[in-house]
Amino acid sequence: MAPETPGRETQETLSNLLHETRRFAPPAGLAASANVSADAYEEASGDRLGFWERAADRLSWGRRWDTTLEWTPPFAKWFLGGTLNVAYNCVDRHVEAGRGDKVAYHWEGEPDGDTRTLTYSDLLREVSKAANALTELGVGKGDRVAIYMPMIPELPIAMLACARIGAIHSVVFGGFSASALSGRIQDADAKLVITADGGYRRGAPSALKPTVDEAVAECPGIEHVLVVRRTGQDVQVTDKDVWWHELVDRQSDAHEAPQHDAEDPLYILYTSGTTGKPKGILHTTGGYLTQTSWTHHAVFDLKPESDVYWCTADIGWVTGHSYIVYGPLTNGATSVIYEGTPDTPHKGRFWEVVQKYGVTILYTAPTAIRTFMKWGDDIPAKFDLSSLRVLGSVGEPINPEAYVWYREHIGGERCPVVDTWWQTETGAIMISPLPGVTAAKPGAAMRPLPGIVADVVDDQGASVPDGGGGFLVVREPWPSMLRGIWGDEKRYVDTYWSRFDGMYFPGDGAKRDEDGDLWLLGRVDDVMLVSGHNISTTEVESALVSHPKVAEAAVVGATDPITGQAIVAFVILRGSAEESADIAKELRDHVAKALGPITKPRQILVVPELPKTRSGKIMRRLLRDVAENRSIGDVTTLADSSVMNLISEKLPSAPTED
Ligand code: 6R9
């Protein structure tokens, strides 16, 4: 998500307040056998393009490229003249190499006992049949296919079938409304929708097909709707509908994977941003696959023979695209896919899945980690988590306390935690520790990966010195970068490339500490201006979360007659903590002690929940509306809209600074 208006024009630098001294060196065994060692940084800084060429050579190419990078700012083309097939790289080549019996996906449905196992041979058969079915439906290279599905194996199969024939998929998260779906279908001008009757969510079947019917009624360009039968719910069958089991199951399981150009489109994925129409982020094949594959190998230290890898994201978000589907499959990984929510049928479900499959690498989001903290340490303690060896985090800044909790209660203090910064737009991980190399600091994404040139700059675009804060930028093109916004070149240039000359601006604030390590400080649109100081939401939230009674916190700046903006904090207490009368004072003093008196919140509200997007990011914009007593703005991207009522009710009674 990048901002529509790039930050506050008067912004100087972000204050650098948080001091964290804990360090966690890589475990010796992991360091000794790590896929990537410290040399990679030097190798890449000496010859960046050569480094990415070697990463691209980890893939199978039909024809090797002629030109590694053609850079006409801000338009990049990577591996020009090269041809490949993404699905071949993800599936066929492992089968051809004799690894057909290896498990690609252990799929765990939400209802107890509902599981499926797909080997690479199974996947090849299913993807080939689906590719033949798409062809029969008249879908060809360059056509757009909207995919609106629950987390079932047919979802990655549908994506890979599109990739195989060169059709461009646009996955729309299965929780979105009919109008969100029809808007995305129309923007991409898709001709086919792939969906299911429904999926399971919180213990009950939840219908998808009626939403698709409603959306498709607004989309005359849709020729067919291909429907997987998952829940067996009654569906209204229209003349555009085709059942997956009737069409796909009778197809031949032989399909020759054609070669596509390295710059042919692979997918569009819509991000909502803060305002306005969602942006259709466009990714292409060669560069995208190179970087998702290499980063998955490097950042998670994936050993395909022995690891069981689980990324808990929904495939409807970029994390699922890059780190459930494309990255892991190119590397021949064995992955877990879980259909449901972490609390169904009980709050230990994730740990039960880790124990059942012997998960060795777990990749999840800070919002989930903070929820587990809130539920209590005793829940993961009931399960055997000793198989785990690497833990990852993505989606938001991870508060140091949440990081330490994750390391201790999930990782048994033996697993490195990699905090990975990236975006839908960047396609793959950009800034992260390497688990066998980096002595990581809790809460820091540390360094740009080898081959990535990122920096922190001030308002004028000059690098800030060590110890300073400012805007995160990327100075050089990278292989998996977005190639544009579907149908809107101007918006691509305006949104990402106009704030700083010649640099990509992701919309995030960051600081570089005295050692030169990077800390992400949240969206610059959320930065608070208190008595002339730019204060990051992340730092104040992390200070709150470092209090033993707090599990989650969100802070916003509210207009204040004296200080310009004042800090208003919304906190969720840990399971074991009681809400006492003087909790607000206790927390205010705690923040002042951690970060300095200027960051002392004016108000602290204890709330049962925080407003989050459907991908789990806190929506501070809505909290600002509450804090400034405005009517609450657009809530359509909110996961649970009733949360706002619970929060608004709290405000009038909240004590202010005495
Ligand atoms: C992968 C993904 C991108 C935005 C990004 C930033 C935030 C993601 C983060 C992080 C701090 C991390 N973000 N990872 N902030 N530390 N490790 O989440 O993509 O949904 O497009 O969101 O998420 O603000 O700009 P996307």
Side-chain angles (χ1 to χ4, degrees):
M1 291 190 288
E4 298 301 310
T5 46
R8 195 179 281 127
E9 292 310 316
T10 56
Q11 179 136 7
E12 289 154 16
T13 57
L14 267 170
S15 298
N16 175 4
L17 300 165
L18 189 77
H19 295 282
E20 173 62 63
T21 51
R22 290 170 286 190
R23 297 276 183 290
F24 299 107
L30 200 157
S33 62
N35 288 349
V36 177
S37 63
D39 311 342
Y41 292 100
E42 278 149 49
E43 189 196 322
S45 62
D47 176 11
R48 189 170 60 90
L49 296 186
F51 171 82
W52 285 121
E53 285 164 11
R54 284 184 289 285
D57 276 328
R58 297 180 63 254
L59 304 176
S60 304
W61 295 80
R63 180 181 186 279
R64 207 166 181 275
W65 59 92
D66 308 309
T67 310
T68 306
L69 170 66
E70 186 188 279
W71 179 223
T72 321
F75 301 98
K77 291 183 175 164
W78 284 84
F79 308 115
L80 255 111
T83 67
L84 75 169
N85 185 287
V86 168
Y88 175 87
N89 272 278
C90 288
V91 186
D92 307 44
R93 66 173 181 152
H94 306 306
V95 178
E96 286 173 14
R99 296 190 296 269
D101 291 339
K102 187 170 169 31
V103 174
Y105 291 126
H106 290 292
W107 176 79
E108 178 84 12
E110 198 189 74
D112 209 19
D114 191 3
T115 63
R116 277 167 72 184
T117 303
L118 280 104
T119 63
Y120 277 91
S121 293
D122 295 334
L123 206 52
L124 176 57
R125 200 178 55 242
E126 297 306 320
V127 171
S128 299
K129 287 203 278 189
N132 286 324
L134 293 182
T135 308
E136 188 179 316
L137 290 176
V139 176
K141 182 162 172 158
D143 287 340
R144 274 78 61 206
V145 175
I147 302 182
Y148 183 75
M149 287 174 94
M151 287 278 282
I152 55 176
E154 285 78 6
L155 171 51
I157 290 167
M159 293 163 74
L160 291 163
C162 289
R164 195 168 183 96
I165 66 172
I168 306 168
H169 61 69
S170 164
V171 179
V172 179
F173 172 62
F176 275 133
S177 66
S179 69
L181 175 60
S182 77
R184 286 159 174 76
I185 291 174
Q186 289 172 37
D187 186 76
D189 196 13
K191 65 195 282 192
L192 173 72
V193 184
I194 308 180
T195 188
D197 49 359
Y200 285 91
R201 198 135 185 95
R202 297 196 193 284
S206 145
L208 287 178
K209 180 64 169 43
T211 312
V212 176
D213 293 341
E214 199 185 325
V216 168
E218 309 288 309
C219 305
I222 291 294
E223 295 169 8
H224 297 287
V225 178
L226 181 57
V227 190
V228 176
R229 188 149 68 196
R230 159 75 183 126
T231 57
Q233 288 161 288
D234 278 345
V235 297
Q236 186 192 324
V237 178
T238 73
D239 54 2
K240 292 184 177 180
D241 293 350
V242 185
W243 283 109
W244 177 287
H245 59 268
E246 287 177 4
L247 176 71
V248 178
D249 288 3
R250 65 171 164 76
Q251 300 293 322
S252 154
D253 60 9
H255 184 275
E256 181 78 25
Q259 294 298 314
H260 301 295
D261 285 344
E263 282 295 343
D264 280 343
L266 176 62
Y267 69 78
I268 303 167
L269 184 59
Y270 287 85
T271 62
S272 2
T274 44
T275 53
K277 187 170 148 235
K279 298 184 284 286
I281 304 302
L282 177 68
H283 284 291
T284 59
T285 60
Y288 174 80
L289 206 63
T290 296
Q291 193 174 332
T292 50
S293 182
W294 186 81
T295 51
H296 181 256
H297 160 84
V299 172
F300 301 108
D301 190 46
L302 180 95
K303 306 281 197 271
E305 323 75 54
S306 50
D307 277 318
V308 178
Y309 163 87
W310 182 21
C311 167
T312 70
D314 193 286
I315 294 178
W317 310 120
V318 74
T319 305
H321 281 55
S322 298
Y323 297 105
I324 297 178
V325 183
Y326 295 114
L329 292 178
T330 56
N331 291 329
T334 293
S335 300
V336 172
I337 298 183
Y338 173 54
E339 180 186 30
T341 49
D343 54 355
T344 308
H346 57 80
K347 289 179 174 161
R349 188 66 197 265
F350 268 30
W351 319 123
E352 189 176 75
V353 170
V354 168
Q355 176 177 289
K356 174 173 175 185
Y357 293 104
V359 171
T360 59
I361 303 170
L362 179 68
Y363 192 28
T364 193
T367 179
I369 298 165
R370 292 186 303 249
T371 302
F372 300 136
M373 282 170 72
K374 179 174 74 182
W375 289 345
D377 310 349
D378 52 319
I379 296 176
K382 291 189 200 114
F383 298 87
D384 178 4
L385 307 180
S386 62
S387 55
L388 288 167
R389 66 179 198 94
V390 177
L391 301 176
S393 170
V394 61
E396 284 182 293
I398 179 166
N399 322 100
E401 232 39 61
Y403 178 110
V404 169
W405 185 92
Y406 190 31
R407 207 187 126 81
E408 188 178 327
H409 293 279
I410 307 305
E413 295 190 74
R414 55 174 199 283
C415 307
V417 177
V418 288
D419 173 18
T420 65
W421 179 88
W422 59 294
Q423 305 178 294
T424 305
E425 292 88 338
T426 70
I429 300 171
M430 302 288 281
I431 307 176
S432 168
L434 287 175
V437 177
T438 315
K441 302 172 181 175
M446 301 301 290
R447 298 280 165 133
L449 287 176
I452 300 299
V453 187
D455 198 358
V456 181
V457 299
D458 66 17
D459 199 33
Q460 303 303 310
S463 290
V464 302
D466 287 352
F471 303 89
L472 181 71
V473 293
V474 187
R475 289 188 175 275
E476 298 289 347
W478 62 100
S480 64
M481 69 187 262
L482 74 165
R483 298 303 194 261
I485 294 176
W486 184 258
D488 200 344
E489 190 168 286
K490 181 173 179 300
R491 195 170 176 203
Y492 166 70
V493 177
D494 292 349
T495 308
Y496 307 106
W497 300 93
S498 62
R499 179 68 180 81
F500 300 106
D501 198 26
M503 296 180 233
Y504 172 83
F505 175 50
D508 284 8
K511 73 178 182 189
R512 192 188 350 252
D513 70 15
E514 300 297 342
D515 305 321
D517 296 321
L518 300 181
W519 299 70
L520 275 301
L521 296 179
R523 308 294 299 166
V524 296
D525 294 352
D526 291 334
V527 165
M528 304 171 291
L529 188 60
V530 182
S531 305
H533 293 263
N534 285 299
I535 297 181
S536 115
T537 50
T538 303
E539 291 199 310
V540 180
E541 288 162 7
S542 291
L544 285 162
V545 175
S546 73
H547 189 284
K549 288 185 185 161
V550 176
E552 275 213 85
V555 306
V556 297
T559 310
D560 184 276
I562 299 160
T563 55
Q565 279 190 318
I567 299 176
V568 178
F570 300 78
V571 300
I572 300 180
L573 300 181
R574 290 210 198 190
S576 53
E578 293 286 316
E579 182 177 349
S580 59
D582 52 2
I583 183 92
K585 179 170 187 330
E586 192 178 331
L587 295 180
R588 271 205 298 267
D589 292 346
H590 177 79
V591 173
K593 198 160 161 234
L595 301 178
I598 195 165
T599 60
K600 206 171 184 176
R602 180 182 77 187
Q603 272 166 296
I604 294 196
L605 287 81
V606 176
V607 292
E609 272 305 333
L610 290 170
K612 290 184 185 156
T613 63
R614 289 159 198 257
S615 64
K617 297 188 207 294
I618 297 172
M619 288 183 76
R620 293 178 188 75
R621 173 172 62 76
L622 298 178
L623 294 174
R624 264 195 306 271
D625 292 342
V626 173
E628 297 190 330
N629 287 315
R630 269 195 306 273
S631 60
I632 290 162
D634 182 11
V635 293
T636 47
T637 51
L638 206 58
D640 174 2
S641 53
S642 65
V643 166
M644 288 316 294
N645 301 335
L646 294 174
I647 294 171
S648 307
E649 282 163 14
K650 282 277 187 171
L651 191 68
S653 62
T656 54
E657 171 89 61
D658 27 50

